[in-house]
Amino acid sequence: MHLTLETRRSATFDDVSGVSVKIAGNGLQAKGNNFTDGTISAMTLLDEKDHVLVEISGLRLNASHFSKIIDGASDLTDYLYGGLESGNDVITGSAADDFLFDTSLGNDIVRGFAGKDIIGSAYGNDTLYGGDDSDIFLFTSKFDRDSIMDFDPTGRDQDLIRLGKINFAKLDIEQAGRDVRIDLGAGDVLTLKNTDVDLISRDDFLLY
């Protein structure tokens, strides 16, 4: 992907297929196709016709780390997204740090494997695997009913969940058999498989 730095607060990654990621942030600096400094506060994923697929705000991402993920710092790094079709997709990363966005309307499977992955979900009842290492799971509004199959709430490889502008104290979190069920209302339910609710805390969430 090709990076264009418009200002210290905005930039765009363009792919040869026409897919682009609009970046908003602070103190952005770049050399070639990589950020060298700054933080990312928002991202918008657009298809080849500039239709908005995913919009995420309230982020605090290290810009240089993000550019390594999206631009492919190694041959194993993947930048993948599912289109807006209604089919059931399988999106698979690698052992590197991957950026995997599921925007399909179907019931999809996303596998990050090892590496510090960023996994986004929008629409459909999706099944998500972060794999080893610390991963970030991003959810838009109206993500429907998703399941994280290997969420790690504590320790060295702690995963994080990004739900948007939501007060943690108002989240409906309960034990449901061997799983943790998080009900956000309006039909949006996130299930953390084989997880103990007593291990879930504010530290597992990226909120603003």
Side-chain angles (χ1 to χ4, degrees):
M1 301 191 78
H2 176 70
L3 171 63
T4 301
L5 183 66
E6 287 108 22
T7 69
R8 295 287 295 275
R9 298 177 64 86
S10 64
T12 301
F13 277 100
D14 291 299
D15 189 275
V16 292
S17 66
V19 175
S20 62
V21 180
K22 302 290 185 182
I23 301 294
N26 293 290
L28 298 175
Q29 297 184 46
K31 182 177 181 180
N33 286 337
N34 294 298
F35 287 119
T36 58
D37 198 6
T39 58
I40 292 173
S41 58
M43 296 185 297
T44 303
L45 179 66
L46 304 129
D47 66 12
E48 64 277 5
K49 295 182 180 180
D50 285 339
H51 296 148
V52 175
L53 301 177
V54 176
E55 290 184 289
I56 299 174
S57 60
L59 299 175
R60 293 182 181 178
L61 296 179
N62 181 293
S64 61
H65 175 69
F66 178 79
S67 67
K68 290 177 183 178
I69 295 174
I70 199 171
D71 194 43
S74 75
D75 293 338
L76 297 177
T77 299
D78 297 309
Y79 165 71
L80 302 171
Y81 81 104
L84 278 174
E85 294 80 8
S86 58
N88 301 329
D89 303 322
V90 177
I91 301 174
T92 303
S94 68
D97 298 339
D98 301 316
F99 182 74
L100 310 173
F101 252 129
D102 171 33
T103 55
S104 168
L105 298 175
N107 301 328
D108 308 312
I109 298 173
V110 183
R111 296 180 182 274
F113 292 106
K116 296 180 179 180
D117 306 313
I118 299 175
I119 297 175
S121 178
Y123 318 120
N125 302 329
D126 304 319
T127 302
L128 314 175
Y129 297 82
D132 295 335
D133 301 311
S134 299
D135 305 305
I136 298 176
F137 295 90
L138 308 175
F139 295 91
T140 66
S141 60
K142 298 181 180 179
F143 66 82
D144 295 324
R145 294 175 175 268
D146 291 355
S147 296
I148 301 178
M149 305 302 290
D150 57 356
F151 186 75
D152 193 342
T154 61
R156 181 178 179 181
D157 293 336
Q158 180 180 7
D159 299 320
L160 297 173
I161 298 171
R162 175 72 172 82
L163 291 176
K165 196 172 183 179
I166 297 175
N167 187 329
F168 176 75
K170 294 183 178 181
L171 287 176
D172 183 2
I173 304 176
E174 64 178 3
Q175 191 76 45
R178 300 178 64 180
D179 309 324
V180 170
R181 185 176 184 271
I182 305 173
D183 191 337
L184 285 77
D188 289 340
V189 177
L190 176 61
T191 298
L192 309 180
K193 302 295 289 185
N194 299 309
T195 304
D196 188 337
V197 71
D198 291 335
L199 298 178
I200 302 300
S201 71
R202 172 67 176 78
D203 293 337
D204 295 309
F205 296 84
L206 295 173
L207 305 173
Y208 69 97

